[in-house]
Amino acid sequence: MDLPLKSEPVLVVPREGGALRVMAFSHKGAWVYTWGRGQGQRVQVSADAADRIWEVAQ
C-alpha cells in the first residue's frame, strides 16, 4: 500500500514486469478499481474484483 501525503492511496501489486498500481474511485455512483486509463483496465468493486486484479497481475 502506497499512502502518499498529497495524493490518493494506491495498492501496489508486485509482479515480474513491474508493479501494478491499483486505485479506487467513485464513478457514476459506483466504486471502481482501476490500474490504467482504458475500459479494460477497470472493474467495479465486487466480490470478483480481487480475482480480476490478480488475473491482470499475472
Side-chain angles (χ1 to χ4, degrees):
M1 193 62 132
D2 183 12
L3 302 170
L5 291 176
K6 297 184 179 182
S7 187
E8 298 298 321
V10 176
L11 173 65
V12 180
V13 181
R15 61 182 182 163
E16 192 172 306
L20 179 68
R21 298 175 57 84
V22 181
M23 293 178 49
F25 68 96
S26 179
H27 178 70
K28 297 183 180 179
W31 281 95
V32 175
Y33 291 126
T34 184
W35 51 90
R37 297 182 189 265
Q39 282 292 100
Q41 296 174 310
R42 69 177 65 163
V43 63
Q44 281 195 341
V45 174
S46 69
D48 299 330
D51 292 336
R52 175 67 178 128
I53 292 168
W54 179 250
E55 176 184 309
V56 171
Q58 298 305 305

